[in-house]
């Protein structure tokens, strides 16, 4: 059986209206704009409103993706939603998005590969469509991290923002679309990046609330050491799968976590920084949404055109890492 060529035929993004600047953080914790900018490259990020959940952001991005693909929600037969911040512990956020957009013919499932989630979800969609099991899949990366970080921990709360990106994945013409991918993981036994409590390992309790272990915790140096190796490794593995070299890449869309990590990846890959698309200065780290948000912004600016070869590459809690090479199809 000949596998189908699979690609993205429409991409939409959404970020909340509320802007949280570094100067806003100066008013609530012991930090400064200069400290945050020089260590991360982040200047501001978007925070969801009190009544906005992850599904709300994901639904808005999904509606835009469907519009750009020229499809209705009824045309979608599967929703794969990547998130670390679901609406509920039990009930997938994908099912909530299904209801919000009216995708009555779609199956729906969440995945959690943290900041690599968008690429993981695209890879799953590719396999389902290439094999003929599905025809049109909505891949969503959506996060409301502002409600899951400790606003008393200056080492983490300044890094994260909220947002969503959605891609309609379907069959595309031969020679275009998703050429190759690489998915990887290393067990994070030391807890470099995780929320220690609130799950079945350590259920929510008064003790958990008192020690604030229901919030995201990160060992910055451990994550940095992992990321500067993982980003290049994933990208090189995906390039090899496509029989391409680094110089064949027109643009790289990395996970938007820290500009120093991206600069290190640029040197190791020998791909100049001007080929790396960055928007973390305005949006911060939006985890599963970040790669899609960067790609969507570049598309809206006309920076990606049909026939361009691009790399999506990320790393995240788990620890996970992933990359995908795409020959853009529209």
């Amino acid at each position: 059986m000949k596998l189908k060529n699979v690609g993205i035929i429409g991409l939409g993004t959404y970020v909340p209206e509320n802007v949280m600047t570094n100067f806003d953080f100066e008013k609530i914790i012991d930090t400064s704009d200069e400290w945050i900018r020089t260590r991360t490259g982040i200047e501001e990020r978007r925070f969801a409103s009190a009544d906005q959940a992850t599904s709300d952001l994901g639904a808005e991005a999904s509606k835009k993706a469907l519009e750009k693909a020229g499809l209705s929600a009824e045309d979608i037969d599967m929703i794969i939603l990547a998130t670390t911040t679901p609406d509920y512990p039990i009930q997938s956020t994908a099912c909530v998005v299904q209801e919000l957009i009216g995708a009555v013919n779609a199956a729906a499932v969440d995945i959690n590969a943290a900041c690599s989630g968008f690429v993981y979800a695209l890879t799953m969609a590719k396999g389902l469509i290439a094999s003929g099991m599905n025809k049109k899949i909505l891949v969503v990366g959506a996060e409301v991290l502002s409600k899951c970080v400790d606003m008393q921990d200056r080492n983490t709360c300044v890094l994260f923002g909220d947002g969503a990106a959605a891609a309609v994945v379907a069959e595309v013409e031969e020679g275009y679309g998703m050429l190759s991918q690489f998915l990887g993981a290393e067990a994070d036994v030391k807890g470099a990046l995780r929320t220690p409590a609130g799950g079945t390992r350590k259920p929510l309790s008064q003790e958990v609330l008192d020690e604030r272990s229901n919030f995201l915790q990160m060992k910055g140096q451990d994550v940095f050491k992992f990321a500067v190796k993982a980003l290049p490794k994933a990208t090189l593995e995906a390039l090899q799968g496509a029989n391409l070299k680094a110089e064949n890449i027109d643009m790289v869309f990395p996970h938007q976590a820290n500009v120093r990590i991206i600069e290190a990846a640029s040197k190791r890959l020998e791909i100049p920084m001007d080929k790396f698309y960055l928007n973390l200065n305005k949006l911060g780290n939006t985890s599963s949404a970040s790669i899609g948000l960067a790609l969507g912004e570049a598309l809206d600016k006309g920076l990606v055109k049909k026939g361009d070869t691009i790399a999506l590459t990320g790393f995240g809690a788990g620890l996970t890492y992933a990359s995908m090479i795409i020959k853009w199809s529209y």
Side-chain angles (χ1 to χ4, degrees):
M1 181 183 73
K2 187 178 185 296
L3 296 177
K4 303 178 190 299
N5 297 288
V6 181
I8 295 170
I9 64 169
L11 196 143
T13 63
Y14 175 80
V15 292
E17 294 182 5
N18 183 37
V19 178
M20 185 76 172
T21 70
N22 293 346
F23 298 105
D24 292 324
F25 272 110
E26 288 182 351
K27 301 171 185 175
I28 60 174
I29 55 171
D30 181 17
T31 192
S32 70
D33 171 64
E34 190 272 338
W35 189 91
I36 300 168
R37 277 189 298 105
T38 56
R39 285 162 177 78
T40 69
I42 299 168
E43 299 171 18
E44 59 187 45
R45 68 292 289 150
R46 301 296 183 95
F47 277 8
S49 61
D51 61 350
Q52 281 183 313
T54 296
S55 62
D56 297 311
L57 277 57
E60 291 301 318
S62 297
K63 292 173 186 176
K64 293 179 182 179
L66 288 165
E67 181 180 355
K68 290 183 179 180
L71 299 175
S72 70
E74 289 87 350
D75 295 318
I76 299 298
D77 53 21
M78 169 69 85
I79 300 171
I80 305 174
L81 188 144
T83 190
T84 61
T85 57
D87 285 20
Y88 309 105
I90 297 177
Q91 184 191 10
S92 75
T93 303
C95 281
V96 185
V97 170
Q98 178 201 34
E99 179 184 9
L100 290 173
I101 67 173
V104 293
N105 299 312
V109 66
D110 285 3
I111 68 166
N112 181 353
C115 310
S116 308
F118 195 71
V119 179
Y120 265 72
L122 287 174
T123 300
M124 294 174 185
K126 175 188 176 182
L128 290 167
I129 293 171
S131 66
M133 289 184 67
N134 292 87
K135 292 183 177 179
K136 293 179 174 63
I137 296 179
L138 183 65
V139 167
V140 186
E143 303 283 6
V144 176
L145 288 149
S146 62
K147 299 182 183 182
C148 300
V149 296
D150 187 349
M151 286 299 175
Q152 297 179 16
D153 179 6
R154 72 170 190 166
N155 293 314
T156 58
C157 67
V158 300
L159 303 178
F160 298 97
D162 304 337
V168 179
V169 181
E171 185 176 2
V172 296
E173 62 184 292
E174 191 168 353
Y176 291 86
M178 302 173 188
L179 304 181
S180 64
Q181 59 285 318
F182 175 81
L183 306 179
E186 295 180 10
D188 181 16
V189 294
K190 296 181 179 179
L193 182 57
R194 68 170 56 146
T195 300
T200 58
R201 178 67 61 187
K202 191 174 183 179
L204 198 63
S205 65
Q206 188 59 52
E207 179 188 3
V208 165
L209 296 175
D210 291 342
E211 66 188 16
R212 306 184 72 81
S213 57
N214 57 309
F215 292 115
L216 177 68
Q217 295 181 7
M218 183 177 71
K219 299 174 182 175
Q221 285 301 314
D222 290 346
V223 174
F224 186 90
K225 290 175 183 177
F226 168 76
V228 296
K229 294 185 295 183
L231 270 184
K233 175 179 171 58
T235 308
L236 290 171
E237 292 280 1
L239 282 167
Q240 185 177 359
N243 294 314
L244 296 174
K245 296 182 178 179
E247 57 261 33
N248 300 127
I249 296 296
D250 294 301
M251 191 169 289
V252 181
F253 295 91
H255 169 46
Q256 309 284 312
N258 184 307
V259 70
R260 292 192 297 164
I261 292 172
I262 297 169
E263 288 170 348
S266 169
K267 291 179 181 177
R268 292 196 182 199
L269 289 167
E270 297 183 348
I271 298 177
M273 273 297 291
D274 60 10
K275 287 190 174 184
F276 284 77
Y277 189 86
L278 301 181
N279 64 356
L280 65 87
N281 62 315
K282 296 297 183 183
L283 297 180
N285 181 346
T286 55
S287 190
S288 300
S290 77
I291 294 173
L293 281 169
L295 176 56
E297 190 173 292
L299 285 166
D300 289 343
K301 292 180 179 179
L303 299 177
V304 178
K305 60 185 183 299
K306 184 174 181 178
D308 282 354
T309 301
I310 65 171
L312 314 181
T313 187
F315 65 93
L319 297 160
T320 66
Y321 52 112
S323 187
M324 174 175 279
I325 308 301
I326 302 175
K327 188 172 183 181
W328 201 251
S329 56
Y330 72 89

